[in-house]
Amino acid sequence: MEMNQTTVSDPGKLQATLKGDLYTSPEIFELEKEHIFTKKWTFVGFEYEVGKSGHYITTKVQNENILIIRGKDNVLRAFLNVCRHRGATLCNNPCGKTGIIRCPYHSWSYGLDGSLLGVPNTTECREELVNNENYGLEPVHLQVWHGMIWLNLSENPLPVEQQLDTQIFDRFGDLATFSRYQIQNLKVAHRKEYEVAANWKLIVENFQECYHCSSIHPELTATLPEFRSGIGTQNTVSGAAKFNDELEAFSISGKGSRAMLKGLLPEDDRLYYGITILPLVFINLTPDHVIIHRILPISPEKSKVICEWLFDPEEIEKPDFDPADAVELFHRVNMQDFEACEWCQENMGSRSYKNGGILVPIEQHVSKFYDLVLESIGMKVE
Ligand code: FES
Ligand SMILES: [Fe+2]
């Protein structure tokens, strides 16, 4: 494979996209795992899911099973969910509550802080095992950012803020606008998972540009009429899209039934913001709910996307709460977007796309993402 990539063909007018094999090659995917997915912070869940001592959730990042558990000291920790004895998965449930972490295989037990506490039937070597911190659970770096739990599998990661706050600042020109949505106080009311036959980068670049909006998103452009121009919220710093004058809410019917999120200002009403948090997360802000996408790259040509709709818990508790109207709008957008990504993925190996395609001026902000990918995996940008 040719290990260099030219991104700019004619600055100002047309730019080249990534070449086709960047979307199909197992070798590139391995480089991305090593230099992007492992080095960057990965969003895996919400702090409220592990709110009390002993509460845990399990997840998978880069083929590693991970256990996230709140200790007796109230500290939230993450460990590889792997027994140090013979490697069995310790917790198989997606979530739960426990006073001790006990391996189902030979019943070694660990404290909520990961230390090895008990090894049955081993009087001869029990002391040697239990008093040796090497046999405790392998920790994983964890940080909470706006109520979202982020993990990092590298040895010495940069602080989570360095990855995330800088992107928020670049997107809004400040940190305050995003903070007003108080994601740490919201809860998931609906979750959908999508299997997408496309490379993760196609999903990211599609989310970043709105050139496709008038072609494939009739419901979205009816809600946000300015998207018909192809200029999305991410074309400019602090860009937001205003709702159609006739609509009350960001929902398929356009009817509003929920209060604005606490913390928002009057000027935040009737606005939508799309935010890409590279490499794998999208956050959508609306006045009464927040939608968060996370991409799980499965293979060069397959990804899973988890999309969650978050609301104020006070709204969720109301007897007539029904998120269906809000869910339906972005679910349709998701289906339309992911189908379009699959149209492209099918031809990434085509002779026609060997040297990549073209970004027209309205979508050229996507090239920053290309640069990040190419720089991370060490492919020279000329
Ligand atoms: S593998 Fe866990 S106790 Fe044996
Ligand atoms: Fe789209």
Side-chain angles (χ1 to χ4, degrees), residues 231-376:
I231 297 177
T233 64
Q234 299 185 79
N235 286 59
T236 53
V237 175
S238 81
K242 209 164 187 355
F243 295 178
N244 182 334
D245 288 341
E246 288 144 36
L247 304 182
E248 295 162 7
F250 191 79
S251 64
I252 201 74
S253 70
K255 295 211 176 75
S257 57
R258 285 175 286 271
M260 255 170 74
L261 296 175
K262 296 185 191 86
L264 294 190
L265 300 172
E267 57 262 40
D268 298 319
D269 200 10
R270 309 177 54 69
L271 290 182
Y272 162 85
Y273 292 94
I275 312 161
T276 312
I277 307 283
L278 293 174
L280 296 171
V281 172
F282 313 144
I283 302 180
N284 306 267
L285 304 177
T286 86
D288 70 338
H289 65 283
V290 169
I291 305 161
I292 303 182
H293 296 80
R294 58 183 119 153
I295 307 171
L296 285 63
I298 308 290
S299 70
E301 307 201 49
K302 280 202 170 41
S303 307
K304 180 168 165 181
V305 179
I306 299 174
C307 183
E308 293 175 307
W309 284 259
L310 291 91
F311 296 82
D312 185 329
E314 276 181 26
E315 291 291 336
I316 295 174
E317 279 156 25
K318 288 181 181 169
D320 59 348
F321 172 76
D322 182 0
D325 206 22
V327 169
E328 184 62 18
L329 176 55
F330 227 99
H331 172 56
R332 289 195 198 179
V333 172
N334 285 339
M335 297 292 281
Q336 293 153 352
D337 277 330
F338 301 151
E339 186 182 10
C341 293
E342 292 181 349
W343 294 335
C344 296
Q345 184 65 46
E346 259 191 276
N347 303 304
M348 290 295 104
S350 162
R351 185 155 52 91
S352 168
Y353 213 74
K354 188 169 180 294
N355 294 314
I358 295 153
L359 292 177
V360 300
I362 209 171
E363 51 182 357
Q364 284 179 3
H365 51 286
V366 173
S367 66
K368 281 194 203 150
F369 166 59
Y370 295 156
D371 291 343
L372 177 135
V373 171
L374 295 171
E375 278 164 27
S376 302

Side-chain angles (χ1 to χ4, degrees), residues 29 32 36-37 41-44 59-62 148 150 191-208 275-283 292-308 334 337-338 341 369:
F29 191 70
E32 290 170 341
I36 302 178
F37 310 143
W41 290 88
T42 302
F43 164 55
V44 293
T59 188
K60 201 162 189 169
V61 178
Q62 294 305 302
M148 300 164 72
W150 298 75
R191 169 183 169 123
K192 285 196 190 298
E193 297 190 7
Y194 304 86
E195 306 287 335
V196 187
N199 181 276
W200 67 280
K201 298 189 290 299
L202 286 175
I203 300 171
V204 172
E205 63 197 70
N206 170 78
F207 185 78
Q208 290 195 314
I275 312 161
T276 312
I277 307 283
L278 293 174
L280 296 171
V281 172
F282 313 144
I283 302 180
I292 303 182
H293 296 80
R294 58 183 119 153
I295 307 171
L296 285 63
I298 308 290
S299 70
E301 307 201 49
K302 280 202 170 41
S303 307
K304 180 168 165 181
V305 179
I306 299 174
C307 183
E308 293 175 307
N334 285 339
D337 277 330
F338 301 151
C341 293
F369 166 59

Side-chain angles (χ1 to χ4, degrees), residues 88-292:
T89 302
L90 293 164
C91 294
N92 281 294
N93 299 329
C95 61
K97 185 175 188 316
T98 187
I100 198 160
I101 303 164
R102 191 182 311 279
C103 179
Y105 196 0
H106 313 89
S107 292
W108 279 29
S109 58
Y110 303 84
L112 304 187
D113 63 355
S115 55
L116 180 60
L117 295 182
V119 281
N121 303 326
T122 57
T123 33
E124 329 71 325
C125 59
R126 189 191 170 278
E127 290 304 308
E128 193 186 331
L129 288 167
V130 170
N131 293 332
N132 189 333
E133 61 186 28
N134 288 334
Y135 298 116
L137 298 181
E138 183 79 23
V140 174
H141 294 282
L142 176 153
Q143 280 196 260
V144 175
W145 180 85
H146 293 273
M148 300 164 72
I149 300 170
W150 298 75
L151 302 180
N152 194 306
L153 289 174
S154 61
E155 273 182 27
N156 291 304
L158 296 170
V160 79
E161 293 77 15
Q162 206 149 323
Q163 179 183 325
L164 306 183
D165 282 355
T166 48
Q167 296 193 65
I168 294 295
F169 194 85
D170 288 348
R171 174 68 183 80
F172 290 94
D174 62 39
L175 298 177
T177 310
F178 179 78
S179 298
R180 286 202 292 278
Y181 288 80
Q182 300 184 6
I183 292 176
Q184 68 276 14
N185 295 330
L186 307 183
K187 286 194 169 166
V188 175
H190 195 86
R191 169 183 169 123
K192 285 196 190 298
E193 297 190 7
Y194 304 86
E195 306 287 335
V196 187
N199 181 276
W200 67 280
K201 298 189 290 299
L202 286 175
I203 300 171
V204 172
E205 63 197 70
N206 170 78
F207 185 78
Q208 290 195 314
E209 55 91 0
C210 198
Y211 185 37
H212 66 271
C213 288
S214 60
S215 301
I216 68 169
H217 293 317
E219 300 87 356
L220 184 64
T221 49
T223 308
L224 307 170
E226 64 200 81
F227 275 12
R228 292 194 185 109
S229 69
I231 297 177
T233 64
Q234 299 185 79
N235 286 59
T236 53
V237 175
S238 81
K242 209 164 187 355
F243 295 178
N244 182 334
D245 288 341
E246 288 144 36
L247 304 182
E248 295 162 7
F250 191 79
S251 64
I252 201 74
S253 70
K255 295 211 176 75
S257 57
R258 285 175 286 271
M260 255 170 74
L261 296 175
K262 296 185 191 86
L264 294 190
L265 300 172
E267 57 262 40
D268 298 319
D269 200 10
R270 309 177 54 69
L271 290 182
Y272 162 85
Y273 292 94
I275 312 161
T276 312
I277 307 283
L278 293 174
L280 296 171
V281 172
F282 313 144
I283 302 180
N284 306 267
L285 304 177
T286 86
D288 70 338
H289 65 283
V290 169
I291 305 161
I292 303 182

